[in-house]
């Protein structure tokens, strides 16, 4: 039999009564009494403090994980934005874009993207200059061919000048062939 009793001083006791038996004969009884109020309060206080400590640790771990995640994600988002800005042909010069400066892997990635972008822009500028030079070099013989064609179409030139024009046309065609082969 187990019972909980409230005493006049508002303390609780937990009482357990067990008979002493042997061969179905009862020889006596044992009563065990424990006071619960004082120990419960201490146990409850310790349990409450441990639970609060757990909540505080959980809160700080959550806060630290958010801070850590943002410290990684923010520079990656910045690098993504800068890569998109570098794709734009009309973007500002390279020195106005602020790449993240860090001493970790993200900083290395930032430096690599900056150098790659600089090299790509340099190569694109070289290709544009090359294309402009090729266009200029091809326009000269074309202009000469056009002029020769117009003179031949008017038919107001002498046969000697006509032979000279045909000779110049052949030279211009050979020059264009060499330029195209060189390209």
């Amino acid at each position: 039999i187990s019972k909980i009793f409230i005493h006049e001083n508002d303390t609780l006791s937990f009482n357990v009564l067990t008979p002493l038996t042997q061969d179905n004969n009862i020889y006596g009884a044992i009563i065990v009494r424990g006071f619960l109020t004082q120990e419960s309060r201490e146990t409850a206080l310790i349990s409450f403090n441990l639970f609060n400590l757990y909540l505080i640790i959980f809160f700080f771990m959550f806060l630290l994980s958010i801070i850590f995640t943002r410290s990684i994600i923010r520079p990656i988002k910045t690098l993504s934005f800068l890569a998109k800005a570098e794709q734009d042909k009309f973007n500002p010069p390279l020195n106005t874009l602020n790449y993240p400066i860090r001493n970790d892997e993200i900083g290395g990635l930032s430096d690599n993207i900056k150098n790659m972008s600089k090299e790509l822009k340099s190569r694109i500028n070289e290709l544009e200059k090359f294309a402009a030079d090729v266009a200029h070099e091809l326009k000269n013989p074309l202009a000469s061919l056009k002029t020769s064609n117009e003179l031949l179409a008017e038919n107001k030139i002498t046969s000697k000048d006509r032979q000279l024009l045909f000779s110049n046309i052949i030279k211009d065609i050979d020059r264009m062939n060499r330029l195209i082969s060189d390209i």
Side-chain angles (χ1 to χ4, degrees):
I1 299 172
S2 61
K3 297 277 184 183
I4 297 177
F5 295 102
I6 299 176
H7 299 278
E8 57 270 357
N9 60 356
D10 289 333
T11 59
L12 295 174
S13 67
F14 182 66
N15 301 307
V16 178
L17 180 65
T18 304
L20 292 172
T21 60
Q22 184 176 17
D23 297 327
N24 290 330
N25 293 326
I26 297 176
Y27 293 102
I30 296 178
I31 185 167
V32 178
R33 177 185 287 176
F35 291 96
L36 298 176
T37 308
Q38 188 63 26
E39 289 178 10
S40 298
R41 284 185 182 163
E42 289 175 10
T43 305
L45 186 60
I46 290 171
S47 176
F48 181 72
N49 287 339
L50 285 175
F51 182 71
N52 286 342
L53 180 64
Y54 173 74
L55 287 178
I56 290 170
I57 289 172
F58 180 77
F59 174 74
F60 279 117
M61 292 299 290
F62 182 72
L63 187 65
L64 287 175
S65 69
I66 289 174
I67 292 169
F68 180 69
T69 302
R70 285 190 179 188
S71 72
I72 291 174
I73 290 176
R74 185 174 292 138
I76 291 174
K77 282 185 178 180
T78 302
L79 287 176
S80 176
F81 170 76
L82 290 172
K84 287 179 185 175
E86 291 289 353
Q87 287 177 348
D88 186 11
K89 191 172 186 173
F90 302 106
N91 77 344
L94 192 64
N95 53 5
T96 61
L97 297 175
N98 296 324
Y99 283 85
I101 300 172
R102 295 170 55 136
N103 293 326
D104 58 1
E105 291 81 8
I106 294 175
L109 179 63
S110 174
D111 290 340
N112 290 340
I113 290 175
K114 183 178 181 179
N115 292 336
M116 181 184 66
S117 175
K118 188 176 179 182
E119 283 292 320
L120 283 173
K121 285 190 175 191
S122 172
R123 298 238 171 112
I124 289 171
N125 286 338
E126 288 175 7
L127 283 173
E128 287 175 350
K129 286 179 185 176
F130 176 74
D133 290 345
V134 167
H136 177 72
E137 289 296 322
L138 288 175
K139 282 184 180 180
N140 284 341
L142 282 175
S144 176
L145 287 171
K146 182 179 178 183
T147 305
S148 297
N149 188 31
E150 289 172 355
L151 289 173
L152 288 172
E154 290 178 5
N155 206 11
K156 294 182 181 177
I157 55 174
T158 63
S159 64
K160 183 180 177 185
D161 290 336
R162 186 179 299 248
Q163 291 299 327
L164 182 63
L165 282 178
F166 281 127
S167 172
N168 285 341
I169 288 173
I170 292 171
K171 287 179 187 177
D172 287 336
I173 290 173
D174 289 340
R175 182 176 172 200
M176 287 179 68
N177 275 332
R178 278 194 314 272
L179 284 172
I180 292 171
S181 296
D182 290 345
I183 291 171

